[in-house]
mmCIF file of all heavy atoms in Angstrom:
data_model
loop_
_atom_site.group_PDB
_atom_site.id
_atom_site.type_symbol
_atom_site.label_atom_id
_atom_site.label_comp_id
_atom_site.label_asym_id
_atom_site.label_seq_id
_atom_site.Cartn_x
_atom_site.Cartn_y
_atom_site.Cartn_z
ATOM 1 N N VAL A 754 -201.015 -99.628 2.153
ATOM 2 C CA VAL A 754 -199.971 -99.215 1.203
ATOM 3 C C VAL A 754 -198.717 -99.000 2.049
ATOM 4 O O VAL A 754 -198.606 -98.028 2.791
ATOM 5 C CB VAL A 754 -200.359 -97.927 0.443
ATOM 6 C CG1 VAL A 754 -199.201 -97.475 -0.449
ATOM 7 C CG2 VAL A 754 -201.605 -98.174 -0.408
ATOM 8 N N THR A 758 -191.205 -99.694 -0.225
ATOM 9 C CA THR A 758 -191.019 -101.103 -0.518
ATOM 10 C C THR A 758 -191.745 -101.431 -1.812
ATOM 11 O O THR A 758 -192.469 -100.590 -2.349
ATOM 12 C CB THR A 758 -191.526 -101.973 0.658
ATOM 13 O OG1 THR A 758 -191.065 -103.310 0.470
ATOM 14 C CG2 THR A 758 -193.044 -101.978 0.766
ATOM 15 N N GLY A 784 -195.413 -114.427 17.174
ATOM 16 C CA GLY A 784 -194.728 -114.694 18.442
ATOM 17 C C GLY A 784 -193.214 -114.665 18.340
ATOM 18 O O GLY A 784 -192.512 -114.907 19.324
ATOM 19 N N ILE A 791 -182.724 -101.206 14.213
ATOM 20 C CA ILE A 791 -182.914 -99.966 13.461
ATOM 21 C C ILE A 791 -183.910 -99.045 14.195
ATOM 22 O O ILE A 791 -184.306 -98.010 13.682
ATOM 23 C CB ILE A 791 -183.314 -100.282 11.981
ATOM 24 C CG1 ILE A 791 -183.263 -99.070 11.077
ATOM 25 C CG2 ILE A 791 -184.632 -101.008 11.904
ATOM 26 C CD1 ILE A 791 -181.885 -98.579 10.759
ATOM 27 N N SER A 796 -185.877 -94.315 15.091
ATOM 28 C CA SER A 796 -186.556 -93.334 15.938
ATOM 29 C C SER A 796 -186.740 -93.714 17.405
ATOM 30 O O SER A 796 -186.768 -92.821 18.259
ATOM 31 C CB SER A 796 -187.922 -92.993 15.338
ATOM 32 O OG SER A 796 -188.656 -94.164 15.086
ATOM 33 N N TYR A 820 -204.501 -79.395 22.009
ATOM 34 C CA TYR A 820 -204.476 -77.942 21.865
ATOM 35 C C TYR A 820 -203.479 -77.559 20.793
ATOM 36 O O TYR A 820 -202.569 -78.313 20.476
ATOM 37 C CB TYR A 820 -204.206 -77.198 23.183
ATOM 38 C CG TYR A 820 -205.101 -75.990 23.270
ATOM 39 C CD1 TYR A 820 -206.450 -76.153 23.549
ATOM 40 C CD2 TYR A 820 -204.626 -74.726 22.962
ATOM 41 C CE1 TYR A 820 -207.313 -75.063 23.536
ATOM 42 C CE2 TYR A 820 -205.475 -73.639 22.954
ATOM 43 C CZ TYR A 820 -206.816 -73.811 23.228
ATOM 44 O OH TYR A 820 -207.661 -72.748 23.204
ATOM 45 N N ASP A 825 -202.334 -66.798 19.071
ATOM 46 C CA ASP A 825 -202.141 -66.250 20.419
ATOM 47 C C ASP A 825 -202.370 -67.244 21.553
ATOM 48 O O ASP A 825 -202.553 -66.836 22.707
ATOM 49 C CB ASP A 825 -203.037 -65.008 20.660
ATOM 50 C CG ASP A 825 -202.934 -64.006 19.530
ATOM 51 O OD1 ASP A 825 -201.906 -64.011 18.833
ATOM 52 O OD2 ASP A 825 -203.883 -63.219 19.345
ATOM 53 N N VAL A 830 -197.192 -77.155 27.824
ATOM 54 C CA VAL A 830 -196.088 -78.087 27.529
ATOM 55 C C VAL A 830 -195.391 -77.727 26.213
ATOM 56 O O VAL A 830 -194.178 -77.897 26.082
ATOM 57 C CB VAL A 830 -196.554 -79.568 27.513
ATOM 58 C CG1 VAL A 830 -196.573 -80.144 28.909
ATOM 59 C CG2 VAL A 830 -197.869 -79.752 26.809
ATOM 60 N N GLY A 855 -190.423 -85.014 10.557
ATOM 61 C CA GLY A 855 -189.203 -84.482 9.956
ATOM 62 C C GLY A 855 -189.466 -83.859 8.595
ATOM 63 O O GLY A 855 -188.853 -82.847 8.231
ATOM 64 N N ASN A 859 -188.595 -80.057 7.459
ATOM 65 C CA ASN A 859 -187.779 -79.622 6.320
ATOM 66 C C ASN A 859 -188.587 -78.793 5.320
ATOM 67 O O ASN A 859 -188.056 -77.847 4.725
ATOM 68 C CB ASN A 859 -187.139 -80.845 5.645
ATOM 69 C CG ASN A 859 -185.945 -81.341 6.445
ATOM 70 O OD1 ASN A 859 -185.277 -80.567 7.126
ATOM 71 N ND2 ASN A 859 -185.673 -82.634 6.385
ATOM 72 N N ARG A 878 -183.259 -65.611 -4.487
ATOM 73 C CA ARG A 878 -182.559 -66.749 -3.873
ATOM 74 C C ARG A 878 -183.574 -67.860 -3.602
ATOM 75 O O ARG A 878 -184.156 -67.928 -2.511
ATOM 76 C CB ARG A 878 -181.872 -66.307 -2.591
ATOM 77 C CG ARG A 878 -180.606 -65.474 -2.805
ATOM 78 C CD ARG A 878 -179.775 -65.579 -1.547
ATOM 79 N NE ARG A 878 -178.626 -64.706 -1.519
ATOM 80 C CZ ARG A 878 -177.368 -65.193 -1.363
ATOM 81 N NH1 ARG A 878 -177.140 -66.478 -1.271
ATOM 82 N NH2 ARG A 878 -176.370 -64.358 -1.293
ATOM 83 N N THR A 880 -182.911 -71.219 -5.048
ATOM 84 C CA THR A 880 -182.303 -72.515 -5.358
ATOM 85 C C THR A 880 -181.729 -73.129 -4.080
ATOM 86 O O THR A 880 -181.154 -72.419 -3.248
ATOM 87 C CB THR A 880 -181.180 -72.325 -6.405
ATOM 88 O OG1 THR A 880 -181.780 -71.825 -7.599
ATOM 89 C CG2 THR A 880 -180.458 -73.617 -6.711
ATOM 90 N N LEU A 901 -184.241 -89.149 -4.898
ATOM 91 C CA LEU A 901 -185.001 -90.399 -4.966
ATOM 92 C C LEU A 901 -184.856 -91.096 -6.308
ATOM 93 O O LEU A 901 -185.546 -92.090 -6.575
ATOM 94 C CB LEU A 901 -186.491 -90.120 -4.691
ATOM 95 C CG LEU A 901 -186.805 -89.455 -3.342
ATOM 96 C CD1 LEU A 901 -188.271 -89.044 -3.280
ATOM 97 C CD2 LEU A 901 -186.470 -90.387 -2.185
ATOM 98 N N GLY A 976 -162.740 -82.563 8.835
ATOM 99 C CA GLY A 976 -162.426 -81.351 8.080
ATOM 100 C C GLY A 976 -163.425 -81.050 6.971
ATOM 101 O O GLY A 976 -163.414 -79.966 6.387
ATOM 102 N N LEU A 1026 -186.968 -87.062 18.987
ATOM 103 C CA LEU A 1026 -187.438 -85.931 19.799
ATOM 104 C C LEU A 1026 -188.440 -86.398 20.851
ATOM 105 O O LEU A 1026 -188.374 -85.993 22.015
ATOM 106 C CB LEU A 1026 -188.053 -84.858 18.884
ATOM 107 C CG LEU A 1026 -188.818 -83.714 19.539
ATOM 108 C CD1 LEU A 1026 -187.970 -82.946 20.544
ATOM 109 C CD2 LEU A 1026 -189.336 -82.739 18.478
ATOM 110 N N ILE A 1042 -182.500 -65.505 11.146
ATOM 111 C CA ILE A 1042 -183.770 -65.932 10.522
ATOM 112 C C ILE A 1042 -184.953 -65.468 11.385
ATOM 113 O O ILE A 1042 -185.980 -65.018 10.862
ATOM 114 C CB ILE A 1042 -183.778 -67.462 10.287
ATOM 115 C CG1 ILE A 1042 -182.680 -67.828 9.270
ATOM 116 C CG2 ILE A 1042 -185.142 -67.946 9.783
ATOM 117 C CD1 ILE A 1042 -182.482 -69.303 9.029
ATOM 118 N N LEU A 1105 -165.007 -109.746 6.382
ATOM 119 C CA LEU A 1105 -165.717 -110.705 5.512
ATOM 120 C C LEU A 1105 -165.614 -110.272 4.046
ATOM 121 O O LEU A 1105 -165.772 -109.089 3.740
ATOM 122 C CB LEU A 1105 -167.201 -110.790 5.907
ATOM 123 C CG LEU A 1105 -167.494 -111.354 7.303
ATOM 124 C CD1 LEU A 1105 -168.958 -111.156 7.662
ATOM 125 C CD2 LEU A 1105 -167.140 -112.839 7.354
ATOM 126 N N GLY A 1142 -183.331 -113.358 14.084
ATOM 127 C CA GLY A 1142 -183.895 -112.540 15.164
ATOM 128 C C GLY A 1142 -183.327 -111.134 15.216
ATOM 129 O O GLY A 1142 -183.214 -110.529 16.283
ATOM 130 N N VAL A 1159 -180.642 -96.964 24.459
ATOM 131 C CA VAL A 1159 -180.600 -97.569 25.794
ATOM 132 C C VAL A 1159 -180.044 -98.998 25.733
ATOM 133 O O VAL A 1159 -180.051 -99.711 26.725
ATOM 134 C CB VAL A 1159 -182.015 -97.588 26.432
ATOM 135 C CG1 VAL A 1159 -182.475 -96.173 26.721
ATOM 136 C CG2 VAL A 1159 -183.023 -98.304 25.516
#
Side-chain angles (χ1 to χ4, degrees):
V754 175
T758 193
I791 191 71
S796 52
Y820 221 74
D825 311 336
V830 276
N859 282 331
R878 285 202 188 238
T880 297
L901 302 171
L1026 170 57
I1042 296 175
L1105 295 170
V1159 293

